[in-house]
Structures are given as structure tokens and as C-alpha cells.
Amino acid sequence: MDAILLASQMVFQPQVLLTIVMAALFGLFVGAVPGLTATMATALLVPITFFMEPVPAIGAIVTCSAMAIFAGDIPGTLLRIPGTPASAAYTDEAYAMTRKGQGELALGANLLFSALGGLFGTAILIVAAPSLAEVALRFSSFEYFWLACLGLTCATVVGTGSTVKGLVSLLIGLFVATVGLNNPAGVPRFTFGNVDLLGGIDFIPAMIGLFAVSEIFRYVLGMSPDLKGAQTRVGNLFTGWGRLMKQYWRQSIRGNLIGISIGALPGAGADIASWVSYAVSKRFSRTPEKFGTGHVEGIIESTSSNNAALGGAWVPALVFGIPGDSITAIVIGVLYLKGMNPGPTIFINNPQDIYAVFLIFILANIFMVPAGWAAIKSARVMMRVPRNVLMPSILMFCVVGSFAINNSVFGITVMLVFGLLGFVMEENGFPIAPTILGIVLGPMLEENFVTSMIKSGGSFAGFFERPISGTLGVITLAIWVVPVALFVWRKTRA
Amino acid sequence: MRINDAILGAVLLAFALAIGLYARTLPAIPGQEYGAAVFPTWIAFAIGACSLVLIAGGLRHWAETGAVTLASWARSGHHLRALAITVALVVFYILVSTPLGFIPTAFITLTALFAVLGVRLALAPVLAAVLTMVVHYGFYSLLRVPLPWGVLTPWAW
């Protein structure tokens, strides 16, 4: 109880609340501008959080990501251009509603069910994380090794597009993580005598490059969406909320549950949750023929799901230090930096920090309703910001942000290299999120592997001797082996 | 611009070979089997395996896609020039910001970038000046990031 009181004192301070409000506005803006993603919003925010106390820093990131995921629905509904990839699943549906003159209903449903989904995700996070942490306390390097493997496996298998390309992206991330002195042997690797590389490649400039700079390159090359001929005026958003709640509560709950489950899988975040929920909604709908014609049912399930996924993604991040998606991959970096090392012991040593994070989650989702309403009302202004002014400004923020990590221009070099890499990768169908997960999880994977091998005297059997470790190992291997075995079996039968 | 998977696979195969060969030069930990070379070697093997799958897939579709499928921007000199200038401006910032200082470097970089992206020539320097000072105030004065002063050191505040 003391911890909750302490957490409330940490959160309910004018400067923390002000930070949350500012982060919310920033998240809404970035989310509502087509082409800029929730991950990009978070990436741009990180250099600023360096200079904050831990609680406002985490609060800013939580609020910003939740708002950006919701705000992505606004241009999706009004312009048929999803603001963030998490809104892409139901963009056509929402735009069809706008064309039928039901834009208010679509945006109102997005706002209401995003906030509810976020709150539901938070509730599960509050209930599940501490009990999981108790289990996690019994984990050794063997279990952590398999968990990291499972996270990387999910990132590759669950992601969209080709599995081989997802795997290559992941391996690039793992390779980047090997650069520098930070390895069990303490030997400089891939540094080629460069002093800057001795410290390794910092994942924050890498991430700013992959997610933000590559997007700027796409804009420069004229690949950004055209915004002409858009309807950007909306009426009363609150009409029909009661009816929607009564009629679609099942869809909302199912979306929440799917969102949390997918969010909690390491490597699979709000984007995938949204697509799966839309498909499930159509599959179990009594009126599947209405899908695609401007029907609110799928939107409700999907939008609930993508916001619930955010809470879900924090479960493995806080309990095991394993990111649920690219946003929590960033968050883990910030948590370490702020001395709030993620892992089960944080629930014992610093419960007030965890309760403060939970409180911020609740606040952010409640604040989403008035802030979201204001964002939708000012959609015309937000979406019409001249792109040729916005993009150079973002580039300058990226440059200074990358510099601020170590106060060195090397950070900017890393940013530029990864910006070009990210651009080439995306152009050729390689997803970029697994690269970031690889960079974050690589050191953990290597350290736990080497520690385990020393403990077991060089025997691989050690990885399967403990019950939880063995189970995790079998699950991880099965994810790889079963699809291949099924493929071979089908081929031989055919 | 979509490059055929076979070409990308070949590049990745060369990369994997380079990582693998470099990993062999890493010293072993005395008395221990698993040292600094283990992970890079595994990564090299895994990238090598993936590259072979990509090469096989790419060769299967070579007839349909050819070596490179050019996107519309790749045929547009204007867009390619804009990209080259953007990259060059970041390189310019990296090389020059410490001796010249943040304020002049950011101003030049932004003015050029605004001009390239079609902001009116009269407006570009004004916008660049305002943005430079906003970024400088935010990061230098509020967040205490030591942005370099360079030639403006005598007038630093």
C-alpha cells in the first residue's frame, strides 16, 4: 500500500503531469501525420527523456505511444492514409464510413474503444506482471536464454512478409550487437581500431536512423502519400457511444484479449494485433458481408486490439527485460538508462516505480478521450502542416538527438548509416523491427548462452534439464521445426 | 528500387564470409570453449544459410523481375539529386559542426534542405534561422546538450 501511495506522489506532481500532457500532444501530432509512426514518435522522444527524472521519462513514452497509436486512426478515417501501421488494417473500412457520411461515428468509435482497449491492457498488465515476476525470480541463465530465443523467433515468424527476410533483418541486428568490447571475453570485435566502435553501436541512433531518417529519405524521393482532396471536418464524436457499447461489447472484449495476447508475445506488437483482430472480427461476424462497405464492427475490434497490445507488450518488457514490440525495445533502453533495470527484481526492490508506470498508463488512457477529441477537431491543421517544412525539422531533431546520446558526432554517423540501411531494407521487403530487437536482445542472448555453457560444463543438455527451461526450449525449437516438417510431409504426400 | 533477391543474397553471402573469417581471428579464452568468436561465427553461418535461400528464390524469379526493378523515383533525376543532397548535408553536418559550430552548420544545412524540398527561396533562410534557434534553445539551454559553438565561441551564452 505504501508503494502505491509513494507512486501516486511520484506521478501527481505538476511537472510530471505537464510532461505527460506535452508528450500526449506530441504523440497525437506525430500519429496524425501520415507516414510518421508511433515508433518514430517514441524514437524522437528518447533523446529528450535522457534529461528527465525516471518517472516523467517513462510517463512521456507511455503517453506518447498510446496517443500516437490512436491518432493514426484520424488520417486513416478522413484521408484513407493510415497515420501509423497499426491503423492500416481498418483504414479502408473507416474511410468507407466517412464516404457514407459516418466519419463522426468511425472516429468516435476509434476514440472510445482505443481508450477502453488501453485501460483493459493496463488492467491485465497490473494483474499479470507481478505474478509472472514471481515465476521469473526462479529463472536462471538457461531460462533467459530460451526466452530471448523465443522473443527473436516470434519477431521473425509472426512478422509480416517473408520469414527469411525477417530472419536476415534479425541477424543484422544480432551482428550489430556483437560490435565493440562488450562481450563475455572482453575482446574488441569488429572495431577495426576505431575508438568510437569500442563502446559498441548505440541502439538509439540506430533506431532513429531506421525508423525516422529512412522515412525522411522516402519523403525526399516523393514516396509519401498525397493529401489532396481530403475531407477534414467532423461533427459530434460522442453520438452513439452508448449504442456502440451495448451492441459491440463482445467485439471490444475479444479485440482486447487478442491485443493483449499478441502484444505480450515478444516481437509482435500493435500492428499485427490489429490485422489479426480485424480478420477474427470478420470471421465470427453475423454480418461478414457488411465488412469493407463501411461497417463499424471490425473497426471496434481492431482499434481495441491495437491499444490493448501496448499494455500487453509491457508485460515481457517489465518482467523479463524482453521487448514485446519495437516501442518496448526502445523503452527497455530508457529503463536501463534511468536505473530502473527491467526484470523480476524491480517488483521487489522498486515497487513504487512499477506502480508509477501503471498509474501513468491509466492516466494516459483517460486523458486520451479529451485530448483525442481535441486532436480530431484540429485534424485539418495537423494534417495540413507543409511536409517540406516538417521533414527537414524532423531531420534536425534526429541529428541533434543522435548527437545527444553520447555528445559525439559518431552518433550522427550511426544514424545516417542505419537510415540508409533501413531505406534499402524496406525497399526490398526486409522488415526493420527485427533489427532493433536483435540489437537489444543480442547481448542478453550471448551473455546467457556463455554463462549457461560455463555452468553446464560445455554440455547442451543443461538447456533442457530444468523444467521451465526445457519447456521453453521445446516450444522455441517446435516453432522452427514444425512448419518445416509439415511442409516436407505435404510435399512427400503430394 | 527492388533488387533481385539473388543479388542481395550474394551480397549477404559475401558479408557472412567476411564475418566468419574475421571471427576466426578473435582470440579464444584460455581453458574455455566458448569465447568471443562463437556468436559471430553462428551469425555468419545463419546469414550464409539465409543468403542461399534468397539466391535460390531470386534465381527462380529472375526471368520475371530481372536484376533490378526500378521504382519511379529511380528514373527521376530530380528525386535522386534531392536524396544525394540530403545525405550530403548530413555528412556535411558530421564533418563541419564541431569546427564551425552548431548554429552556422544547422542554418546552412536547413536552408539548403528547405530549398531542395521546394520551400520558397526567400522563406528558406528565415525558416532555417528560426528552427536553428528553436532547436538550439531546446537542446542547449533547456536540455543542456553541449552543442558545439565552433567559430562563435567568443560569443557563446
Side-chain angles (χ1 to χ4, degrees):
Chain A
M1 203 62 201
D2 282 350
I4 297 178
L5 267 178
L6 214 59
S8 312
Q9 283 168 6
M10 287 158 87
V11 173
F12 291 102
Q13 282 187 29
Q15 89 200 61
V16 177
L17 296 175
L18 182 70
T19 310
I20 292 174
V21 171
M22 299 294 284
L25 298 179
F26 177 70
L28 285 170
F29 175 74
V30 176
V33 174
L36 311 187
T37 63
T39 315
M40 181 174 175
T42 321
L44 290 174
L45 200 63
V46 170
I48 298 169
T49 61
F50 274 27
F51 306 94
M52 297 179 188
E53 294 290 311
V55 170
I58 303 300
I61 288 185
V62 168
T63 316
C64 170
S65 54
M67 297 293 169
I69 293 278
F70 155 68
D73 298 345
I74 303 173
T77 306
L78 296 178
L79 302 171
R80 200 170 164 264
I81 301 167
T84 69
S87 308
Y90 48 92
T91 292
D92 281 337
E93 193 80 77
Y95 185 65
M97 286 186 73
T98 305
R99 275 208 319 258
K100 278 167 46 177
Q102 296 177 335
E104 289 84 15
L105 186 67
L107 282 171
N110 279 328
L111 181 56
L112 170 67
F113 290 98
S114 288
L116 288 178
L119 285 172
F120 197 87
T122 309
I124 298 292
L125 174 67
I126 294 172
V127 175
S131 12
L132 262 180
E134 273 179 40
V135 181
L137 276 175
R138 291 198 287 274
F139 278 23
S140 69
S141 60
F142 296 104
E143 282 83 9
Y144 273 105
F145 170 77
W146 282 122
L147 266 182
C149 279
L150 190 63
L152 296 175
T153 303
C154 291
T156 319
V157 177
V158 184
T160 43
S162 140
T163 307
V164 180
K165 290 189 172 178
L167 193 56
V168 169
S169 168
L170 178 70
L171 290 164
I172 291 173
L174 288 176
F175 166 72
V176 171
T178 65
V179 176
L181 262 180
N182 187 19
N183 58 73
V187 176
R189 292 190 300 201
F190 304 101
T191 55
F192 308 105
N194 182 317
V195 182
D196 287 315
L197 283 175
L198 277 180
I201 293 176
D202 207 312
F203 90 100
I204 291 169
M207 180 193 67
I208 293 176
L210 285 172
F211 290 112
V213 177
S214 62
E215 202 58 56
I216 294 167
F217 290 155
R218 249 186 294 285
Y219 169 74
V220 170
L221 288 171
M223 294 160 75
S224 278
D226 187 13
L227 302 181
K228 283 191 190 109
Q231 175 209 324
T232 47
R233 205 174 267 284
V234 281
N236 186 5
L237 294 172
F238 302 104
T239 40
W241 275 23
R243 186 179 60 79
L244 288 178
M245 292 267 282
K246 205 169 147 196
Q247 197 173 350
Y248 295 114
W249 62 272
R250 284 186 199 86
Q251 282 77 0
S252 163
I253 291 176
R254 198 166 53 201
N256 289 336
L257 292 174
I258 292 175
I260 288 161
S261 321
I262 293 180
L265 270 182
D271 310 356
I272 294 162
S274 177
W275 282 104
V276 172
S277 283
Y278 186 78
V280 168
S281 186
K282 190 173 177 184
R283 169 74 183 75
F284 290 101
S285 171
R286 284 190 192 139
T287 51
E289 72 283 353
K290 285 189 182 169
F291 277 66
T293 62
H295 183 48
V296 79
E297 186 176 348
I299 300 178
I300 288 176
E301 186 148 348
S302 245
T303 200
S304 303
S305 178
N306 63 18
N307 276 77
L310 281 182
W314 276 72
V315 175
L318 283 178
V319 178
F320 304 112
I322 290 177
D325 59 2
S326 45
I327 293 175
T328 36
I330 303 168
V331 166
I332 285 178
V334 177
L335 285 171
Y336 272 118
L337 213 89
K338 294 288 163 195
M340 288 171 68
N341 296 4
T345 48
I346 194 175
F347 289 85
I348 298 164
N349 300 339
N350 304 85
Q352 69 281 7
D353 287 351
I354 291 298
Y355 286 123
V357 172
F358 292 162
L359 265 178
I360 289 167
F361 258 100
I362 297 171
L363 276 183
N365 284 296
I366 294 173
F367 184 57
M368 188 185 284
V369 176
W373 174 82
I376 293 170
K377 283 291 173 191
S378 52
R380 175 188 286 270
V381 183
M382 289 217 280
M383 285 183 289
R384 295 292 175 146
V385 173
R387 224 42 86 75
N388 55 1
V389 175
L390 188 63
M391 287 302 187
S393 313
I394 291 179
L395 182 64
M396 194 38 72
F397 278 113
C398 293
V399 164
V400 179
S402 302
F403 172 84
I405 307 304
N406 292 318
N407 296 331
S408 137
V409 283
F410 180 67
I412 309 172
T413 313
V414 171
M415 174 204 88
L416 180 62
V417 170
F418 277 85
L420 290 167
L421 179 71
F423 176 76
V424 174
M425 281 171 70
E426 286 225 304
E427 272 288 278
N428 289 287
F430 291 86
I432 47 180
T435 305
I436 283 296
L437 291 173
I439 299 176
V440 172
L441 285 180
M444 182 177 172
L445 193 71
E446 181 169 17
E447 193 188 309
N448 284 307
F449 173 73
V450 174
T451 314
S452 303
M453 288 312 272
I454 293 170
K455 275 196 224 163
S456 67
S459 156
F460 282 101
F463 287 96
F464 295 94
E465 276 166 3
R466 295 162 58 94
I468 300 178
S469 164
T471 314
L472 287 171
V474 169
I475 293 172
T476 312
L477 293 177
I479 294 174
W480 285 106
V481 174
V482 170
V484 177
L486 279 176
F487 176 78
V488 173
W489 185 65
R490 276 199 209 105
K491 280 267 169 192
T492 46
R493 274 186 46 150
Chain B
M1 188 169 66
R2 224 183 149 87
I3 303 165
N4 188 296
D5 283 353
I7 298 174
L8 291 171
V11 173
L12 283 168
L13 189 60
F15 181 55
L17 276 173
I19 300 175
L21 289 174
Y22 181 89
R24 289 176 67 95
T25 65
L26 293 168
I29 306 176
Q32 216 182 292
E33 211 177 320
Y34 295 91
V38 178
F39 249 62
T41 309
W42 283 10
I43 292 168
F45 270 116
I47 295 181
C50 289
S51 64
L52 293 178
V53 176
L54 283 176
I55 291 172
L59 288 178
R60 260 203 311 277
H61 296 111
W62 192 279
E64 304 145 40
T65 58
V68 176
T69 316
L70 286 182
S72 57
W73 60 260
R75 293 193 201 92
S76 151
H78 163 70
H79 283 121
L80 284 174
R81 228 177 359 259
L83 178 70
I85 294 172
T86 308
V87 174
L89 284 171
V90 180
V91 175
F92 167 77
Y93 183 96
I94 292 168
L95 296 176
V96 169
S97 63
T98 309
L100 189 61
F102 170 78
I103 293 174
T105 317
F107 174 74
I108 296 168
T109 309
L110 283 170
T111 308
L113 201 51
F114 282 137
V116 168
L117 295 180
V119 174
R120 274 186 292 129
L121 282 180
L123 196 61
V126 180
L127 274 176
V130 171
L131 190 61
T132 299
M133 294 324 289
V134 167
V135 172
H136 188 266
Y137 178 73
F139 280 86
Y140 182 83
S141 302
L142 294 181
L143 299 175
R144 307 265 168 222
V145 176
L147 295 173
W149 280 100
V151 293
L152 296 180
T153 307
W155 297 279
W157 57 81

